[in-house]
Amino acid sequence: MGSFLTHLNHKEIMSRILKNASLISGLCLALPTSLFAAGMVPETTLLLIDEANHGGVMSVKNTDSIPTLLYTSINDIEGNNGVKLNVTQPVVRLEPGQEQQVRFILETAEPLTVEHYKRVIFEGIPPKSKDKNVKVGINLRQDLPVLIHPKNLPVVTDAWKLLTWSVAGKEVQVRNTSAYVVRFSTVVTLLPSRTTGLLNKTFILPGETMKVQTDVPVGSTDNAVTFSPASRYGIEVDDYTASLTR
């Protein structure tokens, strides 16, 4: 393995790493949670909270053969920012095969004007056994995105087209001037040089600007960028090519 790497220069190694990262990221966006299912299985890969409904619900099923505690928690990616999501039953016991509707209540300090992003974690906690011959159970977690949509904001299913890609000095950056949360694969390709770049996360918030990391400076002829956006419910769609302004 070491002799193989010595025949690759830095650019080739970086390119291979990014290609592998793109494949993994694409699979995570495209495949439904049920394909990885074990323990507590949510009904969808996205929890959508509509401000107009003051909350939302998600059905979760215990696919294990034993009774298990379902523990639900919210991860505030942005912090509260006046937007809080509460779980009405954070802990509930589910029998084998039983399905539970988990309810979420939205609290806002004022009417929302942009979408907000959080994560919801469904964790199955198996019961402890007093039998020393029984192996200790493993807690399995499902970590899903939460999209909170303002009641007066029209639904847009291709918000990735609203992103602005530009060259700042010798770096490429993407800016989200829209009111929508946009999700995508972390790997992008600059055109026509086909230089591979990497974003540091799979989503961009309203008003946020992110840099594209590359192992070489952006080419003087590059005028476009191709990336893989995720649909509203996390399914990977066709690659999209946007203009790259200078």
Side-chain angles (χ1 to χ4, degrees):
M1 182 66 177
S3 60
F4 170 73
L5 289 177
T6 57
H7 288 83
L8 296 177
N9 59 36
H10 173 73
K11 184 175 181 180
E12 290 172 331
I13 293 173
M14 186 67 175
S15 176
R16 294 187 181 206
I17 292 174
L18 291 177
K19 285 180 180 178
N20 289 334
S22 178
L23 176 61
I24 294 172
S25 178
L27 287 173
C28 290
L29 285 170
L31 296 179
T33 304
S34 58
L35 292 185
F36 306 100
M40 297 298 175
V41 180
E43 62 178 324
T44 65
T45 58
L46 171 76
L47 173 59
L48 181 61
I49 302 295
D50 196 326
E51 183 189 16
N53 298 328
H54 308 291
V57 297
M58 171 76 80
S59 291
V60 182
K61 184 177 182 179
N62 178 15
T63 63
D64 278 339
S65 58
I66 57 175
T68 305
L69 289 180
L70 169 62
Y71 176 65
T72 306
S73 59
I74 300 295
N75 184 7
D76 292 317
I77 301 297
E78 308 173 65
N80 282 338
N81 288 345
V83 179
K84 188 176 182 181
L85 194 61
N86 300 307
V87 186
T88 58
Q89 285 184 287
V91 182
V92 61
R93 174 189 167 104
L94 296 186
E95 298 298 324
Q98 183 181 355
E99 192 167 322
Q100 174 74 28
Q101 268 200 342
V102 182
R103 297 185 178 277
F104 302 86
I105 304 298
L106 178 66
E107 293 183 11
T108 59
E110 55 187 22
L112 301 182
T113 57
V114 300
E115 288 185 337
H116 289 263
Y117 184 80
K118 298 180 185 292
R119 305 287 300 188
V120 58
I121 299 171
F122 299 107
E123 183 171 7
I125 304 177
K128 293 182 178 180
S129 175
K130 296 180 180 179
D131 188 347
K132 295 181 179 180
N133 296 320
V134 176
K135 295 182 179 179
V136 177
I138 299 176
N139 294 10
L140 297 176
R141 307 174 71 188
Q142 299 280 4
D143 187 343
L144 305 183
V146 180
L147 189 64
I148 302 174
H149 185 78
K151 63 180 178 181
N152 293 323
L153 183 68
V155 173
V156 172
T157 58
D158 55 358
W160 56 84
K161 295 181 179 179
L162 304 177
L163 299 178
T164 301
W165 301 79
S166 61
V167 177
K170 295 183 178 180
E171 296 182 328
V172 175
Q173 64 181 22
V174 55
R175 185 181 181 192
N176 185 6
T177 58
S178 77
Y180 302 91
V181 175
V182 180
R183 294 185 293 149
F184 36 50
S185 170
T186 57
V187 176
V188 304
T189 303
L190 306 182
L191 300 175
S193 71
R194 302 205 63 82
T195 298
T196 302
L198 188 65
L199 295 163
N200 63 6
K201 58 182 181 177
T202 58
F203 63 92
I204 185 169
L205 302 173
E208 186 177 12
T209 298
M210 295 171 56
K211 291 183 179 179
V212 178
Q213 302 172 16
T214 59
D215 60 344
V216 295
V218 58
S220 59
T221 61
D222 286 329
N223 57 14
V225 57
T226 295
F227 62 100
S228 299
S231 73
R232 189 169 179 81
Y233 285 95
I235 303 300
E236 190 174 15
V237 297
D238 293 338
D239 288 354
Y240 181 74
T241 300
S243 298
L244 182 61
T245 60
R246 294 179 178 271

